[in-house]
Amino acid sequence: VTPGRPETRPDARPDNRPETHRDPVTPGRPDARPDNRPETRRDPVTPGRPETRPDARPDNRPETRRDPATPNRPDARPDNRPDNRPEAGRPGNWHDRREPGRPEAGRPDRRLPQREVIRTPRGGEIHRTPTGAIREVRTPNGALIHHSPNGVRRVEVVRPGGGVIVANATGRAGYLQRQVTWHNRPVIQRTYVFNGVVRPRVFRPWAHGGRVYPIYVPVRHYRPAFYHWCYTPWRRPVVYHWGWRTRPWYGYYGGYWTPYPTYVSPYFWLADFLVSTTLEVAYLSQNASFSEPPVVYDETTAMSPEAKQAIADEVRRQMEEARANQAADYDLQSSEPPPLFSRNGPKVFLVNAEVMGYDGERECPLSEGDVLQLVNPPAPGSEWAEVSILSTRGRCPRGSIVSVRTLDLQEMQNHMRAIVDQGLEKLQSEKGGGLAPLPPQAFGSTAAPFSDELQAENDALDQLTLAVKDANRSEQEIIQEGVPAPAAGTTTLSLGMSRAEVERLLGPPQTKVELGAKVIYTYPDKDLKITFLKGKVSDVQ
């Protein structure tokens, strides 16, 4: 067992036959269940309800959905139908709910946090936790606004014709997605925007179980000698001076992650390039999350050497795969499932944007820079996968086993491959990137046959900004519709209020945390935490 890495025993695999649900066999009494199916036993806490069935929803209460979160991938449309039945003609609705009482293949039947769903007269929805924190707001025009426990907001908008916009709260970072065809084959094209730079990417869609998985497709490959150079150890370590050590984002994350002091092979450099680019993008997109109060990292909370090694091993696996499967990578006609569902696929994931994991009924927010290890490959079409947390900046401790949506893991894998490709491009164009000179046979690349047709949308930033502006306005209206009128003499908070307005209502906060455009007020006596983004209330808990 590698130190610091959770042991993955066969008995740790997600299984629908948990031993804890079986009675021990009394000596001298034959087991009444000759097969291995678990007995459906009554829950001792809730009499009269089988343990394997979902919680019944009491009448006369706002609808509480068992599925805790909207898939944070925009390949499925928001479904505003009050029931859970799939829309006619579709393989499943956007949550791909399971049949009541029957666990999904390859995943234990875990109970997940319930949400209170408030529907407004104009067709909006507000999804709240039992504590009242907003997790989602859905607008009638197809926008979905995610609220993370750390105050990070993300906007997704489904447009007519299958187009999708995904953006951060400011509208200055995100991507546009549209469906295109190449040789009569549907292809997903995204235009990413970050820090004023526009970059197109191509994905091969794979539809299964009512969900569509976008699988990243590289636009170029290099000579086999280049990949060999990238993961071959050198005779002596090389010192490399990164140019971002004095930048604010590194100061913010510096206690959690630090680059290698020297490099014994380029793939370790690529691993640091991947982590640093991920953290920089998150910080500059104003999506940098935090733990309150600001974290002071030590050897028990900083990214461990084992987690860094796991990332480097995954980078090397990707390069070996790219070297061996150059022709297959370009096959947009392929109907093969994502490597995520293969035993030879990715095992380690770097979280690039906040997503939600679940430990039973407990929310486990996963933040940028967290490192996850797949416990076992999920069954094809499975909506969930079990992962172990190798390193984290969030609330769930290192070593926890949590459930994460397979769509989220696929997006993490897409991000890792895309950033590693950027690092390879840098090494190739800079003839070794200042690490070591490339051998002559390592120069040169081959472009994908569809690369000439790959065009970015030049007005992508304007579209992101406009979509977020419209979604924010609709969200304000929906929340005000969904909040009951206050009684006389009570204090009312609402999204969009300024810091001065909040202080006039509640007084000065007991604690204040400032991080650039993000500010946190806490009022322990009122059990309130208020998050401001660019001077306006963005979340109240």
Side-chain angles (χ1 to χ4, degrees):
V1 179
T2 303
R5 186 175 299 177
E7 181 181 1
T8 55
R9 305 185 307 273
D11 59 353
R13 291 181 296 180
D15 198 318
N16 292 328
R17 299 172 297 171
E19 287 295 324
T20 55
H21 290 184
R22 298 182 59 189
D23 289 330
V25 179
T26 304
R29 187 181 68 180
D31 190 348
R33 299 186 303 277
D35 55 12
N36 290 328
R37 292 177 298 172
E39 177 185 5
T40 303
R41 300 173 58 190
R42 297 292 178 182
D43 190 339
V45 178
T46 309
R49 180 165 57 83
E51 187 174 30
T52 57
R53 296 182 63 85
D55 297 339
R57 177 164 52 89
D59 296 333
N60 301 325
R61 287 170 44 188
E63 179 184 357
T64 54
R65 297 187 177 181
R66 188 174 144 73
D67 201 331
T70 302
N72 65 352
R73 302 278 65 85
D75 303 299
R77 290 176 178 271
D79 186 349
N80 291 327
R81 294 188 304 280
D83 57 14
N84 291 335
R85 293 173 298 173
E87 180 181 349
R90 295 173 63 185
N93 68 2
W94 71 312
H95 281 302
D96 191 41
R97 288 180 172 80
R98 295 177 282 115
E99 182 179 338
R102 191 158 101 192
E104 182 180 340
R107 180 177 182 269
D109 186 19
R110 291 188 174 186
R111 294 193 184 97
L112 299 172
Q114 293 185 340
R115 297 281 175 81
E116 179 186 17
V117 180
I118 302 172
R119 293 185 172 85
T120 64
R122 299 182 185 180
E125 287 186 6
I126 304 172
H127 293 219
R128 292 181 180 272
T129 66
T131 62
I134 296 175
R135 287 291 175 264
E136 294 175 1
V137 176
R138 305 182 191 177
T139 71
N141 61 356
L144 176 62
I145 300 96
H146 295 271
H147 292 250
S148 79
N150 287 336
V152 178
R153 294 171 66 248
R154 186 182 69 256
V155 176
E156 299 176 5
V157 181
V158 179
R159 301 188 296 183
V164 175
I165 294 177
V166 177
N168 71 341
T170 66
R172 295 205 298 267
Y175 64 82
L176 306 180
Q177 175 175 301
R178 61 188 178 95
Q179 298 283 348
V180 298
T181 57
W182 190 77
H183 290 193
N184 298 320
R185 177 74 180 180
V187 176
I188 296 173
Q189 178 174 314
R190 291 179 181 174
T191 299
Y192 283 82
V193 179
F194 167 68
N195 204 23
V197 178
V198 177
R199 184 186 295 266
R201 293 175 186 166
V202 171
F203 301 82
R204 170 177 66 87
W206 184 72
H208 195 86
R211 294 172 294 280
V212 178
Y213 292 82
I215 307 171
Y216 173 79
V217 180
V219 296
R220 66 179 60 253
H221 276 293
Y222 302 95
R223 292 184 176 181
F226 178 63
Y227 295 107
H228 181 76
W229 176 85
C230 284
Y231 56 70
T232 299
W234 293 318
R235 293 182 178 179
R236 60 174 61 91
V238 173
V239 177
Y240 184 86
H241 299 286
W242 296 95
W244 34 250
R245 287 184 176 272
T246 59
R247 296 179 187 173
W249 72 264
Y250 181 68
Y252 177 71
Y253 296 108
Y256 173 69
W257 169 84
T258 53
Y260 288 103
T262 60
Y263 297 98
V264 296
S265 178
Y267 77 89
F268 287 100
W269 180 92
L270 284 166
D272 276 350
F273 181 86
L274 168 64
V275 177
S276 62
T277 302
T278 298
L279 298 179
E280 182 180 20
V281 168
Y283 184 88
L284 296 181
S285 298
Q286 295 186 5
N287 275 343
S289 58
F290 49 85
S291 298
E292 42 178 323
V295 175
V296 177
Y297 297 102
D298 57 28
E299 62 181 8
T300 65
T301 54
M303 186 182 292
S304 67
E306 292 79 15
K308 294 180 66 175
Q309 180 66 50
I311 296 173
D313 290 344
E314 173 60 24
V315 169
R316 173 167 180 163
R317 188 201 67 80
Q318 291 183 21
M319 287 188 295
E320 290 177 337
E321 184 180 67
R323 178 186 181 185
N325 302 318
Q326 296 194 21
D329 275 346
Y330 293 151
D331 186 9
L332 299 179
Q333 313 265 343
S334 174
S335 59
E336 290 294 318
L340 168 64
F341 296 103
S342 168
R343 291 199 173 272
N344 296 323
K347 299 296 186 294
V348 175
F349 301 86
L350 180 68
V351 180
N352 61 298
E354 179 139 339
V355 299
M356 190 69 77
Y358 298 93
D359 181 7
E361 296 186 354
R362 182 175 59 147
E363 291 183 335
C364 286
L366 302 171
S367 303
E368 67 280 356
D370 289 359
V371 184
L372 312 178
Q373 184 177 48
L374 194 65
V375 174
N376 280 291
S382 176
E383 185 179 6
W384 296 92
E386 305 298 312
V387 298
S388 172
I389 301 177
L390 295 186
S391 185
T392 181
R393 301 173 48 253
R395 302 180 182 180
C396 289
R398 182 188 302 177
S400 300
I401 305 293
V402 299
S403 301
V404 178
R405 292 185 185 275
T406 50
L407 281 166
D408 290 331
L409 292 177
Q410 180 60 43
E411 291 292 357
M412 295 178 203
Q413 170 69 2
N414 290 337
H415 170 80
M416 292 177 71
R417 290 203 62 186
I419 301 303
V420 169
D421 277 355
Q422 288 180 220
L424 292 174
E425 182 180 349
K426 179 180 175 65
L427 291 175
Q428 178 77 198
S429 63
E430 297 182 4
K431 301 179 180 180
L435 293 169
L438 285 179
Q441 62 271 25
F443 286 103
S445 63
T446 303
F450 52 81
S451 59
D452 291 340
E453 303 177 26
L454 184 60
Q455 299 293 331
E457 299 188 43
N458 294 327
D459 63 340
L461 179 58
D462 293 337
Q463 293 189 52
L464 292 181
T465 303
L466 180 60
V468 170
K469 182 178 179 181
D470 291 342
N472 289 342
R473 183 175 60 251
S474 297
E475 182 184 40
Q476 294 284 344
E477 296 172 354
I478 290 170
I479 289 179
Q480 300 204 354
E481 285 181 1
V483 176
T490 60
T491 300
T492 303
L493 290 172
S494 62
L495 297 182
M497 295 180 69
S498 68
R499 294 168 61 176
E501 291 172 327
V502 170
E503 292 189 18
R504 280 198 295 269
L505 288 173
L506 303 177
Q510 182 169 336
T511 61
K512 181 189 301 184
V513 178
E514 298 196 19
L515 179 65
K518 185 183 297 181
V519 178
I520 314 286
Y521 280 10
T522 59
Y523 295 87
D525 57 330
K526 301 178 178 62
D527 194 23
L528 275 177
K529 183 181 79 172
I530 304 171
T531 302
F532 299 85
L533 186 63
K534 299 183 68 174
K536 303 293 183 181
V537 175
S538 63
D539 190 48
V540 179
Q541 299 183 34

